[in-house]
Amino acid sequence: MRGPCFCCLLILTAGTLRADEQAPERRTIEPGLRHLRSGIEREWSEFPETAQDQRLDVTFTSTRNATEQTLFVRQQDVKQDWNVLLNGKKLGELVRDENDMVVTFAVPADTLVDGDNSLLIESPPASKATSDDIRVGQIAVTNRPVREALREATLDVEVIDAASKQPLPCRITVLDADGAMQSLGAESNDHLAVRPGMAFTSTGSAAFGVPAGQYTIFAGRGFEYSLARADITVVAGETTKKTLAIQREVPTEGYVACDPHVHTLTHSGHGDATIDERMITFAGEGIELPIATDHNTHVDFEETAPRMGVRHYFTPVIGNEVTTARGHFNIFPIAAGARVVDHKQTDWGLLFDDIQQTPGVKVAILNHARDLHSGVRPFGPQHFHALAGENLDGWPLRFNALEVINSGATQSDPLRLFHDWMGLLNRGLNVTPVGSSDSHDVGRHFVGQGRTYIRCHDLDPGKLNIDEAVTSFVRGHVMVSYGLLTELTVNDKFHSGDLATDLGGDEVRIDVQVLGPHWTRASQIQLFANGHVLREATIPDAPDATRPLGVKWRGSWSIPKPGHDVHLVAIATGPGIDGLYWRTAKPYQAVSPDWEARTIGCSGAVWLDIDNDGLRTSARDYAERLVAAAGNDCVKLVASLSNYDEAVAAQAAHLVQVSGTSLQSEPLREALKTGTPAARSGFQTYAEAWRENEIARATP
């Protein structure tokens, strides 16, 4: 749906623009898209090595405008500030949104002059510290004010449930004939949340103005629903009505859709979603358990949801993103009137004391652990050994959940945080995996794209039992969704968060089901044991008529019963979505100009209780026993590892390293030559990760 990357020639003069108010046509002053770059380095490899320019500077002839006129600009991949100036007067800024969209600017009276006029689009100096590759162009002006230019015609859309025929809250996306999101002639109100090219509606109905022309409209309601499409031509002065039907496609009975990381402009002071708009987006995306996590404040959506008429669609929970200089933590549920945690605290021990003393709190999520905020990257190699699940500075890891998907802050390596989470499980920490949106916006990074499904009673979304849901969450009875959903079952009985006991026999049966709506795809499924791939399969792209609606893949494996307790995790991945109705975002803090968008569905962990002691015995637990029993005898230690997997060996390597024995010592190296492949691999991968830590900690 993207336009051309650039036009070959910059049109400096595109004819004379008339101020005649009777002329309805737009007058083009830049027909093509141009590639601009702020900064020096290429941001993404999909762009050419060399940009066409650092700014767009167009000269055109016109006459003075006695009344307001409208400037139309198409933009793509805008991440930083870009000013739009006409004859030296700032009209505004491009919208900070990576989506392909047409935006408008009011041209006040007397801004245009008789003769030559200059349009300039450039990034201010303060934004050039990091690069931003954008495309901008297809610029036109009309002599009508913005309100009239965006209301030449009216689209009246109703979205209904295909089965009940009743209206459904939803999100409507409007694309112009070139595939760009079209700015709409409507404002947010008591049932609409409007941004360029999209409108959330809490009632299932939305009427909005558009310039006359051809459009493609989409209607959807988040991950669980189908996507409806219609191609429409609208005529100036007329109203075109259209009814679209969508249906539930993804079976999620017994699970509640939770977004545990959402913000509002009203209370966080940044982003663009007011608290009223946020209520509409919850209903429109089918979020049943939203957690209020504005920064360092407690917000109760119970004060707003009933007024907006959407309270019956979800059960809100009071939370807080405790935003410190050493990490961000979402905590919930919080009792009404409870004091706010001291966010200036930097000692994690004292911070977690404060969090746990906050009335009601049972959950503490470490957010976006690989992102840099306030100069600290909590899970970066300077502070964290990912394979051992160990903080190198002694910060206590007392959170009980980890954000593995943040759809507003995706990673260059989409599975990096999943491996971090499995490393924590190997360390012996009971940590729940979390998917969330971190949405601050209505449209840019919308609510619920990343989400967590919690196993609990879900018959009435407006009357959920919060205590039940939170208890289930803490126990790990969850699945993480970012365009896919993965269910893992062991021996036809045990699911995410369960301890699988009384396994019997010599084999364990693993059943996996990958779910998703028709507009997402799954391409690979992997089964991990203690963080290492145990089984994997390619998922055919062709539809299978034998599968029920919403099921992408079903499969089973019989695996030999391990020799010790392990945790199993199933992760499905698929290609990212380029469609502007649900576009997957580029990495937030990229480590490379190369990237590949992916959708992901991850089960929670199922623990196999092989030794039948009723406990989840971790790789660290086993390693501690073996290292203690071996004492300083390297040969004995390596020999004892022969019955254990690579994760146990890596944990043993960590214990040896921190005890003061070098992993490069000759006795240890000689002993490892006789070790199993798992033992050698565990020590080697640990040493490689440790070297990364040393380099990071030695770098100023």
Side-chain angles (χ1 to χ4, degrees):
M1 294 186 179
R2 294 179 180 274
C5 294
F6 58 89
C7 66
C8 295
L9 296 174
L10 174 61
I11 308 299
L12 296 181
T13 303
T16 300
L17 302 184
R18 298 173 57 84
D20 181 1
E21 294 186 359
Q22 301 305 310
E25 298 85 4
R26 297 186 192 183
R27 291 94 70 196
T28 299
I29 64 174
E30 171 51 65
L33 287 170
R34 290 186 61 79
H35 169 207
L36 308 182
R37 176 178 296 152
S38 69
I40 299 174
E41 301 294 329
R42 180 169 58 166
E43 183 185 17
W44 305 114
S45 56
E46 68 188 64
F47 285 88
E49 281 279 2
T50 303
Q52 290 176 279
D53 212 331
Q54 289 189 326
R55 64 182 191 173
L56 177 68
D57 195 348
V58 180
T59 299
F60 59 93
T61 59
S62 181
T63 58
R64 185 184 67 84
N65 61 316
T67 59
E68 179 186 305
Q69 296 191 4
T70 302
L71 184 74
F72 291 87
V73 179
R74 185 178 180 183
Q75 63 168 69
Q76 297 174 351
D77 268 297
V78 176
K79 191 175 181 179
Q80 297 179 2
D81 293 332
W82 289 83
N83 295 328
V84 179
L85 300 98
L86 183 55
N87 292 331
K89 297 179 180 179
K90 184 176 177 179
L91 302 184
E93 300 174 355
L94 298 181
V95 178
R96 294 185 65 177
D97 193 318
E98 291 84 348
N99 288 320
D100 183 357
M101 60 177 55
V102 175
V103 296
T104 60
F105 299 89
V107 180
D110 297 324
T111 301
L112 292 168
V113 299
D114 292 328
D116 287 345
N117 291 259
S118 174
L119 176 68
L120 179 64
I121 299 178
E122 65 176 354
S123 183
S127 295
K128 295 181 180 179
T130 57
S131 294
D132 190 19
D133 277 307
I134 74 167
R135 297 185 184 98
V136 64
Q138 295 185 0
I139 302 171
V141 66
T142 180
N143 51 13
R144 298 183 178 186
V146 172
R147 183 173 182 82
E148 294 180 13
L150 292 179
R151 289 172 170 82
E152 287 182 346
T154 301
L155 265 174
D156 189 346
V157 182
E158 182 181 37
V159 180
I160 62 172
D161 182 276
S164 69
K165 309 303 180 185
Q166 296 300 307
L168 273 176
C170 64
R171 177 159 49 96
I172 299 168
T173 306
V174 182
L175 308 184
D176 69 8
D178 293 322
M181 301 176 77
Q182 171 63 55
S183 287
L184 306 177
E187 290 82 34
S188 296
N189 54 32
D190 62 354
H191 70 282
L192 292 180
V194 181
R195 290 298 182 274
M198 70 170 58
F200 283 91
T201 168
S202 61
T203 63
S205 297
F208 44 82
V210 289
Q214 296 178 331
Y215 296 95
T216 299
I217 59 175
F218 295 91
R221 191 169 187 253
F223 168 74
E224 298 174 35
Y225 281 79
S226 65
L227 186 73
R229 170 180 173 156
D231 296 316
I232 296 175
T233 299
V234 295
V235 179
E238 296 185 3
T239 296
T240 300
K241 295 186 177 182
K242 188 67 179 179
T243 298
L244 298 175
I246 59 176
Q247 62 181 334
R248 182 183 292 275
E249 291 189 340
V250 183
T252 58
E253 294 83 1
Y255 283 87
V256 166
C258 173
D259 191 339
H261 195 170
V262 294
H263 296 273
T264 68
L265 171 65
T266 306
H267 294 284
S268 278
H270 58 287
D272 68 21
T274 67
I275 193 168
D276 288 2
E277 291 174 318
R278 181 57 74 217
M279 301 303 103
I280 296 170
T281 63
F282 286 150
E285 288 294 331
I287 294 300
E288 299 162 318
L289 192 73
I291 314 298
T293 55
D294 279 313
H295 299 279
N296 304 316
T297 187
H298 300 169
V299 178
D300 190 350
F301 292 150
E302 289 285 10
E303 300 175 3
T304 310
R307 174 171 56 80
M308 299 300 294
V310 295
R311 176 61 180 82
H312 56 293
Y313 290 116
F314 55 81
T315 300
V317 178
I318 302 174
N320 174 11
E321 182 171 18
V322 183
T323 308
T324 79
R326 283 192 173 178
H328 298 188
F329 304 88
N330 282 351
I331 64 172
F332 66 90
I334 298 174
R339 58 176 181 75
V340 177
V341 171
D342 179 11
H343 68 276
K344 296 181 180 180
Q345 179 61 257
T346 57
D347 182 303
W348 276 26
L350 297 177
L351 177 66
F352 282 114
D353 286 344
D354 200 357
I355 287 172
Q356 292 173 349
Q357 292 166 10
T358 302
V361 170
K362 296 179 181 178
V363 174
I365 305 171
L366 174 57
N367 296 334
H368 38 67
R370 288 270 170 179
D371 292 345
L372 184 68
H373 292 284
S374 302
V376 175
R377 197 184 308 272
F379 274 15
Q382 185 178 10
H383 300 290
F384 186 69
H385 192 294
L387 196 62
E390 195 82 24
N391 180 274
L392 302 177
D393 299 297
W395 303 352
L397 306 182
R398 286 162 55 189
F399 49 86
N400 58 1
L402 177 73
E403 225 175 37
V404 293
I405 277 292
N406 181 316
S407 57
T410 56
Q411 299 289 305
S412 294
D413 176 359
L415 295 186
R416 177 62 267 177
L417 287 164
F418 291 90
H419 288 290
D420 290 340
W421 164 58
M422 290 185 282
L424 294 173
L425 297 183
N426 286 334
R427 174 62 181 82
L429 303 177
N430 291 323
V431 176
T432 296
V434 174
S436 65
S437 70
D438 196 3
S439 176
H440 294 71
D441 319 293
V442 169
R444 183 187 183 192
H445 298 299
F446 53 87
V447 72
Q449 189 175 38
R451 58 178 68 188
T452 304
Y453 281 92
I454 306 172
R455 192 163 79 234
C456 63
H457 292 91
D458 67 333
L459 292 180
D460 188 344
K463 297 179 180 178
L464 299 175
N465 186 319
I466 294 175
D467 288 339
E468 178 195 6
V470 170
T471 298
S472 186
F473 180 97
V474 171
R475 291 176 177 172
H477 299 316
V478 303
M479 296 182 288
V480 172
S481 175
Y482 182 47
L484 296 171
L485 199 59
T486 304
E487 292 183 323
L488 172 64
T489 305
V490 173
N491 281 6
D492 299 316
K493 180 179 180 180
F494 302 102
H495 306 277
S496 294
D498 290 343
L499 177 66
T501 57
D502 300 322
L503 294 174
D506 296 325
E507 292 188 333
V508 178
R509 178 182 172 85
I510 310 297
D511 292 293
V512 178
Q513 179 171 249
V514 180
L515 308 175
H518 75 267
W519 42 271
T520 69
R521 293 166 49 205
S523 57
Q524 185 181 47
I525 179 69
Q526 293 180 305
L527 177 69
F528 294 82
N530 276 5
H532 298 277
V533 176
L534 185 65
R535 296 286 189 275
E536 59 185 330
T538 298
I539 299 176
D541 193 35
D544 184 346
T546 65
R547 293 196 305 260
L549 184 67
V551 178
K552 302 290 186 183
W553 185 83
R554 280 177 174 168
S556 300
W557 290 294
S558 290
I559 64 171
K561 186 162 48 172
H564 54 85
D565 290 9
V566 299
H567 56 82
L568 301 179
V569 174
I571 301 179
T573 57
I577 298 173
D578 195 48
L580 295 174
Y581 48 79
W582 209 89
R583 190 184 183 205
T584 45
K586 292 179 177 177
Y588 170 60
Q589 294 180 354
V591 298
S592 166
D594 302 314
W595 74 290
E596 182 183 12
R598 305 295 290 170
T599 52
I600 302 174
C602 178
S603 73
V606 179
W607 283 83
L608 304 186
D609 184 21
I610 302 300
D611 56 18
N612 294 312
D613 64 356
L615 301 174
R616 302 178 180 186
T617 308
S618 70
R620 172 61 70 88
D621 293 330
Y622 288 117
E624 288 176 346
R625 298 174 191 174
L626 298 177
V627 170
N632 295 321
D633 189 335
C634 296
V635 174
K636 183 177 180 180
L637 173 61
V638 172
S640 69
L641 287 169
S642 62
N643 296 321
Y644 296 88
D645 66 9
E646 184 177 337
V648 176
Q651 292 291 333
H654 178 71
L655 295 173
V656 169
Q657 175 75 24
V658 298
S659 72
T661 300
S662 172
L663 297 183
Q664 301 302 317
S665 68
E666 190 63 26
L668 180 58
R669 293 174 64 181
E670 287 298 315
L672 284 171
K673 290 179 180 180
T674 64
T676 63
R680 293 197 301 271
S681 179
F683 270 77
Q684 180 179 346
T685 54
Y686 176 84
E688 292 170 353
W690 183 265
R691 178 59 178 158
E692 183 184 10
N693 293 137
E694 289 182 315
I695 294 172
R697 292 171 74 82
T699 302

